[in-house]
Amino acid sequence: MQALPLRPWWRRSCGRKRVCLVMMLAGSNLYRTCGSGRKSDTIYHQLKSMGASLDWERSCFTMDKMFSWAVSEAFIRLYEDGLVSRRCRLVNWSCALRSAISDIEVDGQQLTGKTYVSVPGYQRKIPFGILYSFAYPTEEGDDEIIVATTRPETMLGDTAVAVHPDDSRYLRFHGRKLRHPFSGQLIPVVTHTLVNPEFGTGAVKVTPAHSLADFEMAENLSLPVVSVIGEDGFMTKHCGEWIQGVKRFDAREQVLAGLREKELYRGEAEHSMQLPVCSRSGDVIEYLVKNQWFVSCESMAQKALEAVNSGRLKIIPSYHQKNWKNWLSHISDWCVSRQLWWGHQIPAYRVTVKGTQPEQFPCDESDGFWVVARNEADARTKAASRLAIHEDKLHLDRDEDVLDTWFSSGLFPFAMLGWPAKTKDLEEFYPNSLLETGSDLLFFWVARMVMLGEHLTGELPFKEVFLHSMVRDAHGRKMSKSLGNVLDPLDVVTGISLERLQGKLLDGNLDPRELKIAEAGLLKDFPHGIPECGTDALRLSLCTHRVQGDDINLDVSSVLAVRHFCNKVWNGVKFTLSALGEGFTPLPMEELKPTAPIDRWLLDRLRQVTEEVESKLEAYEIHGATGAIQTFWVQNFCDVYLEAVKLMLKNTQASDVRQVLYWGTEISLRLLAPFTPFLSEELWQRLPRVHSDLSPSVCVAEYPTPRNTAHWIYPEEGRRFDFIQLVIKAVRSLRGDYSMTKVRPEVHIFCSDEDDLLSLQSFLLPLQTLSFSSRIQLHLSHDAPEQGADVIGWARGEVTDSCHVCINLLGLVDPLLTLPQMQSKYQKLERQLHVKTECNNEDPERNTLLQKISKVKQAIKTLQQMLPDKNLGE
């Protein structure tokens, strides 16, 4: 799915930039699932509800006629280039799917010992992580070799026993033969350097049809290949009638029982291993020998490596480049055949001559004469030419297999634009600039697109790849239907009851045992269901996580916290609109030059946040950009500026204040728009417009840049107001010490630094408002009065070494009521200190407690001096 042309990727109207984005929330399988039907409708609805600004007219399904043409053409061109061939090789086979799967669709489940695993098609769990030992007697019966294996059922297909050539324990067996316990056939003892003398007994059974290493060994030593497990997971006729037709893991028990009966069983031990599991079906992988179509990837992989090494392709975060290099440097041929009913049928035809019996080709040679062509007529012409025979004598059967889904999806960046035709879209939008997708798709999809794109078009499909982290549940678990922790983004947006959440589980065809586990998980995590959070809160919440690092643990409570921020944005804009009033006309940005220090301070902060957002987005640090915007809106705009200018809106400075309020709000909404599009749009449309701005929507308005705000450089105001905020903090701290929640005390500030005094004079009105003071007196003095030394009823606090504040408590604080509370607080802190000291004298919290105790002691002393009879406070 093609995004709108943007530049850079977060801006809307700064020129054209070719971009291909895949949304994080709906998942990067969109291009594979968006056809006709309920699933595609659901995904489209989710994307649109989440505010995805995509070019919906260019959406396409990989089974569309246009795309199917591209897939066939790509396969044919790769075949003509010598990169596709049909070979008899060992493939990863899922008995549950009845299909081959690629290496990267195999998950290695690490087992540390005996582990019971659920396998599709079995009522009971199957034990794995066990090393079984049994003996092979020699032909004469005078000796034996003990082998160890985790798959005893495959021993029915053993065609040799291998030892390392330098292993002295088995020198006497070199060249001898062993008798198979069940078939009675003789199999050789062979030597090969692939054997690890330290594994098990140092002797290994060789089953070429069901082991990758054994298949390689068999090719080197010309050993026969005997398949004893079929595509359906049942034992084949090559095993013998006594076990033919038995399910593979049931056959394991029968083989072990037979070995015990023949007194050849030598025991078992727990064994750490990696169990290969199909990522799609959860089935334990079988390695089967099959004639399949393979794509040779080595040359394409080298080009993909060079693209990253040279900087032509940039992978973000950069640490993924190591995995990229490791995987592509050791890439194997790609089996693209799939035995599924749904997919792109392989454009290959098996050719036979009419009137003759088709030859039964042995698997290790060929399975017939194949022609790759665009259609049957083309195939017939090619076959007749190669065989020098008339076309009428040929019979063609098209391969019933389909291509790996990742083959077609690897063509997506250019096939969806009309390739192989030279369309206007292909010329305009290819190559793309950016692919954004999940880090788990680096090899499944990204590498495929890079290799196929560069080979078939001569250009990289994109210049940058941005890999975001995987979204997990609040406990860090992978979202899984069996756990019942998969969150539909729309349920978080609109809210949903626990009963409806549990009802959705019934649509997943879960095993009854898994259903109970899933229901219990939902009850624990969402006992009251999921409250309504809103689209913008969910989007912004995801963007506040560090998407270039660890996995994202999505907690609904964190989304609710962001919803509170959205409410703060709403309320802040509401205040601004009220302050602007009717008939307000904003000045152009470049004409706004206020004189009030607090106005200049806010514009300077606005300039800084615009620069920070720009730099963070350029570095793809999304969390840094959203954090900067949130900090500005909450801490600078709402908590400081809006509060500080309430009195100024009533005096002669009101005109400048309104202009600053407008631009602070307007630029903030444009900065937020990519993250909270609905909230930003709703509020932005309510603001008056500068006459030169004709943008119909915030989503196409120019994104704020440092160039726009470069003229708002007021570093002096920023430096001075940093000091003012320290004074405000000191006054508020004193107010808190004496529980002065509503009253406004008189404040005296003593400064020995003239520059500090000048800062206080410049921001006197905002200082009075933000410190909740009734009156502020400034003093240039090196000697601030000591606590209670000159006048009883004054509390003293330190701002810096050269600045102190004093607030008047008389008439505002009742010592008879406040003193007992302070003494109780003091005793509580003393108990906490005692516990900390006993546990750990170096605990950093201990110093914090000591500071609190010191402040409370001083407050008690001040209150005692205010008592009518000072003995009452003793």
Side-chain angles (χ1 to χ4, degrees):
M1 186 165 294
Q2 185 72 22
L4 289 171
L6 316 177
R7 182 175 183 177
W9 60 270
W10 64 90
R11 289 196 200 143
R12 295 312 198 268
S13 58
C14 299
R16 184 167 56 208
K17 185 84 167 181
R18 303 181 182 110
V19 183
C20 179
L21 294 178
V22 178
M23 293 302 294
M24 179 191 302
L25 286 175
S28 49
N29 291 337
L30 174 63
Y31 60 91
R32 292 188 285 130
T33 54
C34 284
S36 58
R38 186 163 58 93
K39 283 190 176 180
S40 63
D41 291 342
T42 300
I43 293 172
Y44 273 154
H45 179 58
Q46 287 176 331
L47 279 172
K48 291 178 178 179
S49 299
M50 290 303 299
S53 55
L54 305 177
D55 190 344
W56 298 103
E57 293 182 357
R58 285 191 172 88
S59 64
C60 71
F61 178 43
T62 54
M63 293 299 292
D64 289 342
K65 184 178 181 179
M66 178 194 73
F67 209 105
S68 296
W69 172 41
V71 173
S72 294
E73 187 66 24
F75 184 87
I76 292 166
R77 292 191 186 186
L78 290 170
Y79 178 82
E80 292 172 346
D81 292 341
L83 296 179
V84 170
S85 59
R86 187 170 178 85
R87 283 176 285 156
C88 186
R89 302 288 299 174
L90 211 63
V91 299
N92 306 308
W93 187 268
S94 169
C95 297
L97 296 176
R98 299 285 184 92
S99 175
I101 63 172
S102 66
D103 292 342
I104 54 179
E105 291 177 298
V106 178
D107 293 334
Q109 184 176 339
Q110 188 63 46
L111 308 180
T112 57
K114 186 176 182 180
T115 307
Y116 287 88
V117 178
S118 294
V119 179
Y122 292 83
Q123 293 296 322
R124 61 187 176 91
K125 289 188 175 183
I126 309 300
F128 293 93
I130 304 172
L131 195 62
Y132 302 92
S133 299
F134 66 92
Y136 265 112
T138 58
E139 179 181 4
E140 299 79 10
D142 59 345
D143 208 343
E144 67 180 24
I145 290 183
I146 300 175
V147 297
T149 179
T150 59
R151 295 291 307 274
E153 66 275 14
T154 63
M155 64 86 62
L156 299 171
D158 287 357
T159 56
V161 169
V163 296
H164 194 279
D166 299 330
D167 193 335
S168 59
R169 294 173 296 175
Y170 298 107
L171 292 177
R172 68 183 188 277
F173 291 99
H174 289 194
R176 298 187 67 178
K177 293 186 181 296
L178 307 174
R179 190 170 299 280
H180 196 284
F182 295 104
S183 68
Q185 293 181 343
L186 296 177
I187 61 175
V189 176
V190 298
T191 60
H192 203 286
T193 54
L194 281 176
V195 179
N196 179 8
E198 297 180 0
F199 175 77
T201 63
V204 296
K205 55 190 285 296
V206 181
T207 319
H210 302 286
S211 166
L212 297 172
D214 293 2
F215 186 83
E216 180 181 345
M217 198 182 302
E219 283 191 319
N220 294 339
L221 301 174
S222 300
L223 297 174
V225 178
V226 180
S227 295
V228 294
I229 300 176
E231 297 177 358
D232 55 3
F234 288 79
M235 308 306 288
T236 69
K237 62 182 180 180
H238 300 297
C239 305
E241 293 183 1
W242 69 283
I243 203 169
Q244 180 183 353
V246 176
K247 294 164 71 173
R248 51 182 172 155
F249 296 123
D250 292 338
R252 174 183 298 182
E253 302 304 322
Q254 294 189 28
V255 168
L256 292 173
L259 290 171
R260 291 188 182 96
E261 184 179 339
K262 297 175 183 295
E263 297 182 347
L264 296 174
Y265 185 69
R266 297 295 181 262
E268 62 184 58
E270 292 199 26
H271 172 64
S272 61
M273 62 176 290
Q274 203 170 57
L275 184 68
V277 176
C278 174
S279 62
R280 297 168 63 187
S281 66
D283 191 18
V284 175
I285 291 297
E286 279 297 338
Y287 299 108
L288 300 185
V289 177
K290 301 285 294 179
N291 276 292
Q292 304 283 269
W293 294 97
F294 289 86
V295 175
S296 176
C297 298
E298 186 175 354
S299 61
M300 292 189 291
Q302 289 302 314
K303 291 181 180 178
L305 277 171
E306 184 278 330
V308 171
N309 292 337
S310 65
R312 292 191 298 121
L313 177 64
K314 185 178 181 182
I315 298 178
I316 306 165
S318 59
Y319 62 77
H320 286 295
Q321 293 181 15
K322 181 178 180 181
N323 296 332
W324 179 267
K325 181 178 180 181
N326 289 340
W327 188 72
L328 290 176
S329 298
H330 302 91
I331 197 170
S332 57
D333 290 349
W334 177 14
C335 175
V336 293
S337 299
R338 296 293 180 268
Q339 292 66 43
L340 304 173
W341 69 272
W342 177 254
H344 296 278
Q345 192 172 359
I346 296 175
Y349 301 81
R350 192 175 190 271
V351 182
T352 55
V353 180
K354 292 179 181 180
T356 63
Q357 292 293 327
E359 295 182 14
Q360 298 299 315
F361 295 95
C363 184
D364 59 348
E365 292 181 16
S366 174
D367 65 337
F369 177 60
W370 288 85
V371 176
V372 173
R374 290 171 176 82
N375 50 58
E376 185 173 336
D378 186 24
R380 190 176 297 276
T381 301
K382 285 184 176 180
S385 176
R386 289 173 60 181
L387 295 174
I389 195 171
H390 196 276
E391 292 184 14
D392 293 343
K393 294 184 179 182
L394 299 178
H395 177 76
L396 275 66
D397 292 300
R398 185 165 180 177
D399 194 343
E400 294 183 353
D401 289 353
V402 298
L403 286 164
D404 179 12
T405 302
W406 295 107
F407 183 88
S408 56
S409 56
L411 310 175
F412 192 79
F414 47 96
M416 63 85 59
L417 295 172
W419 183 91
K422 295 182 178 179
T423 64
K424 182 179 179 181
D425 276 354
L426 187 66
E427 180 182 354
E428 182 75 12
F429 295 111
Y430 189 85
N432 298 283
S433 64
L434 169 71
L435 171 78
E436 184 276 333
T437 188
S439 55
D440 60 325
L441 295 181
L442 182 61
F443 307 125
F444 279 100
W445 191 38
V446 180
R448 306 295 196 204
M449 285 190 286
V450 171
M451 291 191 294
L452 293 173
E454 187 162 25
H455 183 82
L456 294 171
T457 70
E459 294 184 273
L460 290 172
F462 28 73
K463 301 299 187 293
E464 293 180 312
V465 178
F466 178 39
L467 300 169
H468 66 70
S469 306
M470 296 307 298
V471 179
R472 297 179 177 269
D473 71 5
H475 309 290
R477 301 172 302 177
K478 184 177 181 179
M479 291 193 184
S480 163
K481 290 182 179 179
S482 61
L483 292 175
N485 62 344
V486 177
L487 288 180
D488 182 336
L490 300 189
D491 290 341
V492 181
V493 170
T494 60
I496 187 171
S497 66
L498 174 63
E499 291 73 23
R500 286 181 58 202
L501 275 174
Q502 293 178 331
K504 283 190 170 187
L505 296 175
L506 300 176
D507 297 332
N509 297 320
L510 291 178
D511 180 275
R513 292 171 298 179
E514 293 180 331
L515 181 61
K516 289 183 179 179
I517 295 173
E519 288 177 337
L522 288 175
L523 177 61
K524 180 180 179 181
D525 290 342
F526 309 111
H528 307 293
I530 300 176
E532 179 182 355
C533 297
T535 300
D536 294 300
L538 178 56
R539 286 177 59 114
L540 185 57
S541 176
L542 286 170
C543 291
T544 57
H545 289 82
R546 188 175 183 273
V547 295
Q548 295 189 36
D550 300 328
D551 291 339
I552 297 172
N553 295 346
L554 181 61
D555 189 349
V556 173
S557 62
S558 67
V559 184
L560 286 172
V562 175
R563 187 182 74 174
H564 297 323
F565 167 76
C566 292
N567 290 339
K568 200 169 185 68
V569 173
W570 184 279
N571 290 331
V573 177
K574 182 180 178 181
F575 174 87
T576 297
L577 291 171
S578 174
L580 297 182
E582 296 292 335
F584 172 80
T585 302
L587 292 173
M589 290 178 63
E590 60 275 9
E591 295 182 17
L592 178 57
K593 297 176 182 179
T595 57
I598 190 66
D599 292 338
R600 294 157 70 92
W601 168 80
L602 184 78
L603 294 180
D604 189 69
R605 284 294 301 124
L606 194 57
R607 173 188 60 81
Q608 291 178 42
V609 74
T610 304
E611 292 174 352
E612 186 175 359
V613 170
E614 172 95 350
S615 65
K616 294 298 183 183
L617 291 180
E618 285 182 343
Y620 296 97
E621 295 178 7
I622 313 300
H623 66 289
T626 56
I629 299 170
Q630 287 178 284
T631 298
F632 171 79
W633 185 265
V634 174
Q635 298 182 15
N636 300 145
F637 191 71
C638 292
D639 291 355
V640 175
Y641 188 74
L642 294 191
E643 296 298 327
V645 299
K646 286 180 178 178
L647 292 179
M648 297 172 63
L649 285 168
K650 300 176 182 179
N651 59 28
T652 56
Q653 298 173 309
S655 178
D656 279 353
V657 169
R658 290 190 179 95
Q659 295 292 339
V660 174
L661 272 174
Y662 171 81
W663 282 112
T665 301
E666 200 274 347
I667 292 176
S668 295
L669 290 177
R670 280 192 283 142
L671 287 171
L672 273 172
F675 313 105
T676 59
F678 297 105
L679 176 68
S680 300
E681 185 69 48
E682 174 68 27
L683 296 176
W684 191 80
Q685 292 292 350
R686 301 186 183 199
L687 291 175
R689 293 282 179 278
V690 178
H691 294 308
S692 59
D693 185 4
L694 302 178
S695 302
S697 167
V698 71
C699 73
V700 293
E702 183 178 4
Y703 199 74
T705 67
R707 176 179 56 82
N708 303 138
T709 58
H711 56 287
W712 291 335
I713 303 177
Y714 305 113
E716 187 69 14
E717 279 74 7
R719 181 185 65 80
R720 291 191 182 282
F721 197 70
D722 287 343
F723 171 72
I724 297 300
Q725 289 185 304
L726 292 177
V727 176
I728 294 169
K729 182 179 178 181
V731 174
R732 288 184 175 182
S733 178
L734 285 175
R735 289 171 56 87
D737 290 344
Y738 294 92
S739 302
M740 303 174 72
T741 56
K742 297 181 180 180
V743 296
R744 292 177 174 269
E746 179 184 351
V747 176
H748 286 230
I749 303 175
F750 299 84
C751 283
S752 59
D753 188 304
E754 292 185 5
D755 189 61
D756 287 346
L757 189 64
L758 181 60
S759 298
L760 292 167
Q761 291 170 343
S762 300
F763 290 93
L764 187 59
L765 184 57
L767 172 61
Q768 180 180 336
T769 303
L770 295 172
S771 64
F772 304 104
S773 304
S774 63
R775 188 166 64 95
I776 294 180
Q777 292 288 326
L778 304 179
H779 306 275
L780 180 59
S781 171
H782 293 275
D783 299 314
E786 292 296 329
Q787 190 81 22
D790 298 329
V791 181
I792 293 175
W794 286 78
R796 179 180 181 275
E798 181 179 288
V799 179
T800 65
D801 291 340
S802 59
C803 181
H804 298 80
V805 297
C806 294
I807 65 173
N808 189 4
L809 307 179
L810 293 175
L812 303 177
V813 176
D814 186 345
L816 292 176
L817 294 176
T818 309
L819 189 56
Q821 298 173 2
M822 287 291 181
Q823 290 170 333
S824 176
K825 184 177 181 180
Y826 174 77
Q827 293 169 358
K828 182 179 179 180
L829 290 171
E830 281 286 344
R831 289 194 295 269
Q832 292 177 1
L833 178 64
H834 179 70
V835 173
K836 289 288 182 183
T837 304
E838 283 189 340
C839 296
N840 182 6
N841 203 39
E842 301 298 326
D843 191 332
E845 292 186 14
R846 185 173 179 274
N847 292 331
T848 303
L849 282 172
L850 287 171
Q851 293 174 3
K852 290 181 178 180
I853 289 173
S854 176
K855 291 181 67 176
V856 173
K857 286 176 66 176
Q858 184 59 61
I860 290 174
K861 181 179 179 182
T862 301
L863 291 169
Q864 287 175 338
Q865 292 175 341
M866 294 172 61
L867 291 172
D869 184 351
K870 294 182 181 181
N871 293 326
L872 292 175
E874 296 299 327

